[in-house]
């Protein structure tokens, strides 16, 4: 079974631009979560989607948004990029949402550099 | 405030030596606890998890962790480290009612000397 895939793997943008990252969960998984990883702030939860609905949201500004499609694939969008948005963005999938017993499987991440 | 603490930022051990990585949490109730490992350029891989029951849990790659309620700790151990264990290790928690939201510690970077 294929793992979680994220595209693109690397991305360079300039301040003020917007970016869209994509995540394809493991087949059969319906929950997708996004995390931001930076050297300064570590790993921080962005949001979680299940059945095309946002179920949980972290403490990030409204420039960060996401969505999930009917095939469970998810995208996250960051508008008006700032230098501080440079990070590794990780996607994780699990079978269900709202269950702490679910194992989350992480993708390799998208490394975003904002210049 | 609720938090997950990994006191050691960097740890260096010799190959074949034993390893213990520390993790402490600060929550009112018992959280659900996880250890993940991240190799350079990779995503996170789950090593083990604790929900309830036996406080000593076994994971993949020969790792184990022990939950100690009295110490609010969930330390990761391995009796004999291999060079391939060099990576960054993250302790994480999920709170009941928190959905799938993982709250991570700051990580411990493990270096293995040959």
């Amino acid at each position: 079974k294929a793992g979680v895939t994220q595209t693109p793997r690397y991305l360079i943008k300039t301040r003020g631009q917007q970016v869209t990252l994509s995540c394809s969960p493991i087949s059969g998984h319906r929950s997708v979560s996004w995390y931001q990883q930076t050297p300064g702030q570590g790993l921080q939860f962005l949001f979680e989607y299940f059945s095309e609905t946002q179920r949980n949201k972290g403490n990030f500004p409204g420039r960060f948004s996401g969505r999930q499609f009917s095939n469970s694939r998810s995208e996250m969008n960051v508008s008006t990029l700032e230098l501080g948005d440079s990070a590794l963005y990780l996607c994780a999938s699990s079978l269900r949402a709202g269950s702490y017993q679910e194992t989350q499987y992480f993708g390799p991440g998208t490394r975003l550099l904002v210049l | 405030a609720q938090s997950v603490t990994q006191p050691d930022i960097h740890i260096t051990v010799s190959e074949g030596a034993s390893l213990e990585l520390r993790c402490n949490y600060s929550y009112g109730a018992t959280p659900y606890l996880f250890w993940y490992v991240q190799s350079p350029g990779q995503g996170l891989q789950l090593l083990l998890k604790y929900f309830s029951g036996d406080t000593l849990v076994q994971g993949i790659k020969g790792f184990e962790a022990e939950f100690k309620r009295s110490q609010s700790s969930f330390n990761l151990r391995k009796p004999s480290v291999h060079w391939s264990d060099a990576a960054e290790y993250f302790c994480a928690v999920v709170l009941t009612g928190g959905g799938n939201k993982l709250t991570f510690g700051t990580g411990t970077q493990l270096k293995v000397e040959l």
Side-chain angles (χ1 to χ4, degrees), chain A residues 1-9 21-35 72-74 89-95 103-110, chain B residues 36 41-45:
Chain A
K1 186 183 280 191
V4 178
T5 58
Q6 293 186 245
T7 57
R9 291 292 310 277
L21 312 181
S22 180
C23 172
S24 293
I26 292 171
S27 178
H29 284 195
R30 297 175 61 195
S31 174
V32 173
S33 298
W34 289 88
Y35 293 82
S72 295
R73 189 177 70 84
S74 177
Y89 290 88
L90 293 164
C91 166
S93 78
S94 61
L95 277 170
T103 294
Q104 294 188 59
Y105 297 87
F106 283 79
T110 294
Chain B
Y36 281 87
Q42 302 294 314
L44 298 166
Q45 182 181 23

Side-chain angles (χ1 to χ4, degrees), chain A residues 5-95:
Chain A
T5 58
Q6 293 186 245
T7 57
R9 291 292 310 277
Y10 303 92
L11 205 50
I12 300 175
K13 292 287 188 178
T14 56
R15 279 180 299 175
Q17 287 187 310
Q18 75 165 13
V19 67
T20 299
L21 312 181
S22 180
C23 172
S24 293
I26 292 171
S27 178
H29 284 195
R30 297 175 61 195
S31 174
V32 173
S33 298
W34 289 88
Y35 293 82
Q36 181 197 63
Q37 185 176 24
T38 61
Q41 299 299 316
L43 280 152
Q44 293 185 289
F45 172 80
L46 281 157
F47 25 66
E48 175 191 358
Y49 285 87
F50 179 78
S51 292
E52 303 177 63
T53 302
Q54 188 179 90
R55 298 291 296 266
N56 209 345
K57 189 177 190 304
N59 189 26
F60 278 82
R63 299 185 297 107
F64 291 82
S65 63
R67 59 178 175 168
Q68 187 180 34
F69 302 94
S70 58
N71 62 358
S72 295
R73 189 177 70 84
S74 177
E75 289 181 347
M76 67 163 282
N77 184 274
V78 188
S79 62
T80 320
L81 284 165
E82 300 177 359
L83 296 179
D85 297 334
S86 295
L88 180 66
Y89 290 88
L90 293 164
C91 166
S93 78
S94 61
L95 277 170

Side-chain angles (χ1 to χ4, degrees), chain B residues 28-89:
Chain B
T30 301
Y32 300 93
L33 299 153
F34 305 79
W35 275 100
Y36 281 87
V37 62
Q38 186 177 36
S39 298
Q42 302 294 314
L44 298 166
Q45 182 181 23
L46 179 68
L47 288 174
L48 46 78
K49 57 189 176 184
Y50 173 77
F51 296 142
S52 64
D54 193 348
T55 56
L56 183 64
V57 293
Q58 302 296 319
I60 63 171
K61 304 186 180 187
F63 285 94
E64 66 178 27
E66 185 171 13
F67 170 64
K68 292 185 177 180
R69 186 188 304 274
S70 62
Q71 298 178 19
S72 297
S73 69
F74 187 57
N75 294 348
L76 182 71
R77 301 194 295 243
K78 186 169 185 177
S80 178
V81 170
H82 188 262
W83 64 266
S84 60
D85 293 324
E88 190 157 21
Y89 292 79

